[in-house]
Amino acid sequence: MQKLVVAVTALNAIDSPGPGIAVIRAIRECEGFDVRIIGLAYESLEPGIYMHDVVDKTYQIPYPSAGTDALFARLLHINNIEHINVLIPNFDAELFNFIRIGENLRKIGISTFLPTQEEFEARDKVNLSKFGKKHNFNIPPDRVIFHIGETAKIAEKFSFPLVVKGKYYDAIISNTLEEAEKAFYKLQAKWGLPIIIQKFIPGTEFNIALLGDGKGNAISIIPMRKLYITDKGKAWAGITIENPVLIEIAERFVKATKWQGGCELEIMMSTDGNPYIMEVNPRFPAWIYLTAVAGQNQPASLVKLALGQKVAPFRKYEVGKVFVRYSWDLIIDISEFQEISGTGEL
Amino acid sequence: MLTSMKLKKNIATSEAGFIFNPGTGDSFSVNSIGSEILAMFKENKSLQEVIESISLRYEVEKSQLEKDLEDFVSQLYGYNLLEK
């Protein structure tokens, strides 16, 4: 039997990990799959490149800023060697390009399972408020600003604390105008403009990993509560929970957007019991392997959906499954580092 | 003190004193007496019965026990573990 060739990005299993390794682990553990995993890396020190029992072969690909032509040309070259069946991109910043070349990839035999460009943009941080109004979701009030002078006015309206958010990543809780302005400059330097200022909603944070079939059906929904959070706000441990309010909001999200592919909803359950969507991450989260052990293997199901197979929505999952992340020093020979750095392949 | 305390249906407890709320992901641990009390709550014992049972097995002033039990129950309510 010919192996199923799956290409995966985000092999950066670091302290703020990309989801790639977890996605691969879930796919490899799916019964009935015989897979060859092709890693697609941006940098030569992404740990997944050197995890040979996880990734069979890695190729470097151009940074998103190089544009879609450069990306497609590189993937065409890789595909001539590897004959990729399914490609799963896992970085927010690269998704726009992969969505744009989706049709061209299909023509060369590579299937993806991604949201449309409209869905992708509608849930963007800068559009989230509008998105909430349109689909009747609670979203914390926010303002998208381009100038630091606007901060004081917004602070007066929302009162402190405020959440100052970067265009792509990072959120800083600020308790004074001085802190908010400092956060503005910090995030502007890192991610550029605009900056999003959001009203702080006190409550308990939950995360939901989901997989939509593109027709309005949720194939899988797994809610998780972070048990241990790193200084970067990432989950270092988490537990699957059973909460009908969270399941309902995820179902409604998939139905309203006809979301296709993996997704993570960040929800704040306010102290008065209202769920707010804080963010919609348009790809699987780094903790996605937990969905597989809880009984709903989302990455493997995405592969099946991408291949045009029917996948029945999951109904059950195990509550109380815990993940605890750990770090490990992988020892490699310099020749491997030289090879990926010099040839772009390993 | 005749009221019986009911743990919420979905709350999981273990003999080791671990309490897990699957709706929120919150977990707690209690000592062995706390664990015994929770087991009695699960059997729908009234507060009076709990007091009697604990008094029989431990050397404790009744007034102290009543006060401690009241504190414990109010903490369980606070953490949303008991039916209202």
Side-chain angles (χ1 to χ4, degrees):
Chain A
M1 201 175 79
Q2 215 176 357
K3 280 190 186 254
L4 181 66
V5 183
V6 181
V8 178
T9 69
L11 308 180
N12 54 328
I14 55 171
D15 60 341
S16 176
I21 297 302
V23 166
I24 296 166
R25 191 175 175 199
I27 292 170
R28 282 202 180 279
E29 288 187 12
C30 179
E31 227 172 274
F33 274 5
D34 182 16
V35 291
R36 173 171 165 79
I37 299 290
I38 303 303
L40 302 173
Y42 290 99
E43 295 183 358
S44 46
L45 280 175
E46 290 180 28
I49 298 169
Y50 307 98
M51 298 166 74
H52 302 307
D53 50 346
V54 176
V55 180
D56 293 299
K57 169 106 192 209
T58 301
Y59 295 86
Q60 272 191 316
I61 55 173
Y63 282 109
S65 55
T68 50
D69 289 347
L71 175 65
F72 186 69
R74 179 64 174 153
L75 290 172
L76 192 61
H77 168 77
I78 298 167
N79 195 47
N80 286 337
I81 305 163
E82 300 292 347
H83 309 291
I84 296 165
N85 298 110
V86 177
L87 192 157
I88 309 176
N90 292 297
F91 277 127
D92 296 24
E94 71 184 359
L95 280 173
F96 183 77
N97 284 350
F98 277 99
I99 291 170
R100 281 189 65 190
I101 64 168
E103 189 52 31
N104 288 340
L105 290 174
R106 199 185 58 78
K107 284 180 187 158
I108 60 168
I110 302 177
S111 299
T112 55
F113 203 68
L114 296 169
T116 62
Q117 204 162 316
E118 291 73 35
E119 286 164 8
F120 178 73
E121 280 166 14
R123 55 84 251 167
D124 191 284
K125 274 183 203 182
V126 295
N127 300 321
L128 193 61
S129 237
K130 216 190 299 170
F131 171 86
K133 274 188 196 124
K134 187 178 168 193
H135 298 296
N136 203 21
F137 290 111
N138 293 331
I139 310 282
D142 66 16
R143 293 286 181 280
V144 178
I145 63 169
F146 289 85
H147 192 270
I148 192 154
E150 297 170 80
T151 316
K153 216 169 135 190
I154 299 166
E156 209 173 289
K157 192 173 166 57
F158 289 167
S159 75
F160 288 103
L162 286 174
V163 187
V164 184
K165 299 172 97 167
K167 188 173 152 190
Y168 292 117
Y169 299 100
D170 293 337
I172 300 170
I173 296 170
S174 311
N175 290 298
T176 62
L177 183 60
E178 197 185 18
E179 278 179 25
E181 288 179 342
K182 201 174 149 196
F184 181 102
Y185 283 126
K186 193 176 171 188
L187 295 172
Q188 181 191 9
K190 204 166 173 190
W191 303 114
L193 292 172
I195 298 292
I196 300 113
I197 307 235
Q198 198 175 56
K199 191 175 164 67
F200 178 78
I201 306 288
T204 307
E205 193 191 328
F206 296 96
N207 296 63
I208 306 172
L210 63 85
L211 174 63
D213 71 353
K215 294 170 189 144
N217 305 306
I219 298 299
S220 165
I221 298 169
I222 301 280
M224 182 274 289
R225 166 92 181 267
K226 291 176 186 174
L227 294 177
Y228 188 106
I229 302 173
T230 67
D231 55 0
K232 288 187 176 169
K234 305 294 165 190
W236 203 257
I239 187 165
T240 56
I241 59 164
E242 182 181 36
N243 188 317
V245 176
L246 297 176
I247 303 275
E248 191 269 340
I249 200 169
E251 276 172 348
R252 217 150 52 76
F253 170 82
V254 175
K255 199 171 174 188
T257 57
K258 293 194 168 51
W259 190 264
Q260 178 163 289
C263 177
E264 182 192 33
L265 301 180
E266 292 181 12
I267 308 286
M268 186 66 79
M269 195 69 83
S270 67
T271 36
D272 52 3
N274 289 314
Y276 284 80
I277 298 184
M278 306 302 286
E279 244 170 64
V280 178
N281 297 319
R283 36 84 196 153
F284 286 137
W287 55 272
I288 196 67
Y289 180 68
L290 187 67
T291 67
V293 289
Q296 300 190 4
N297 191 329
Q298 293 190 4
S301 301
L302 182 140
V303 169
K304 290 176 188 170
L305 289 166
L307 292 170
Q309 297 172 13
K310 278 202 170 162
V311 180
F314 289 97
R315 295 282 169 233
K316 285 183 186 164
Y317 63 90
E318 211 174 316
V319 175
K321 273 280 172 200
V322 179
F323 78 88
V324 183
R325 207 163 267 167
Y326 70 100
S327 51
W328 176 267
D329 295 348
L330 197 63
I331 306 302
I332 57 166
D333 193 84
I334 192 163
S335 61
E336 291 200 311
F337 179 51
Q338 279 170 348
E339 200 177 329
I340 185 77
S341 305
T343 67
E345 293 181 21
L346 184 66
Chain B
M1 280 288 167
L2 290 171
T3 340
S4 65
M5 295 291 136
K6 257 194 178 168
L7 269 184
K8 285 192 170 174
K9 232 196 306 188
N10 60 344
I11 304 295
T13 57
S14 77
E15 277 179 27
F18 185 79
I19 310 170
F20 172 57
N21 182 344
T24 61
D26 286 326
S27 56
F28 311 87
S29 29
V30 291
N31 62 16
S32 56
I33 297 180
S35 189
E36 279 182 48
I37 295 171
L38 286 179
M40 286 187 266
F41 284 170
K42 274 192 150 180
E43 292 164 8
N44 287 330
K45 295 253 169 77
S46 68
L47 284 179
Q48 193 57 49
E49 287 172 304
V50 172
I51 289 168
E52 277 163 19
S53 167
I54 299 284
S55 312
L56 280 177
R57 283 173 296 127
Y58 298 94
E59 246 179 66
V60 57
E61 288 286 331
K62 201 173 170 200
S63 59
Q64 183 64 49
L65 176 57
E66 279 176 2
K67 193 178 165 294
D68 290 349
L69 187 60
E70 201 176 298
D71 282 351
F72 185 53
V73 166
S74 98
Q75 278 190 46
L76 294 175
Y77 271 126
Y79 289 124
N80 216 10
L81 299 170
L82 290 179
E83 296 281 7
K84 294 222 160 123

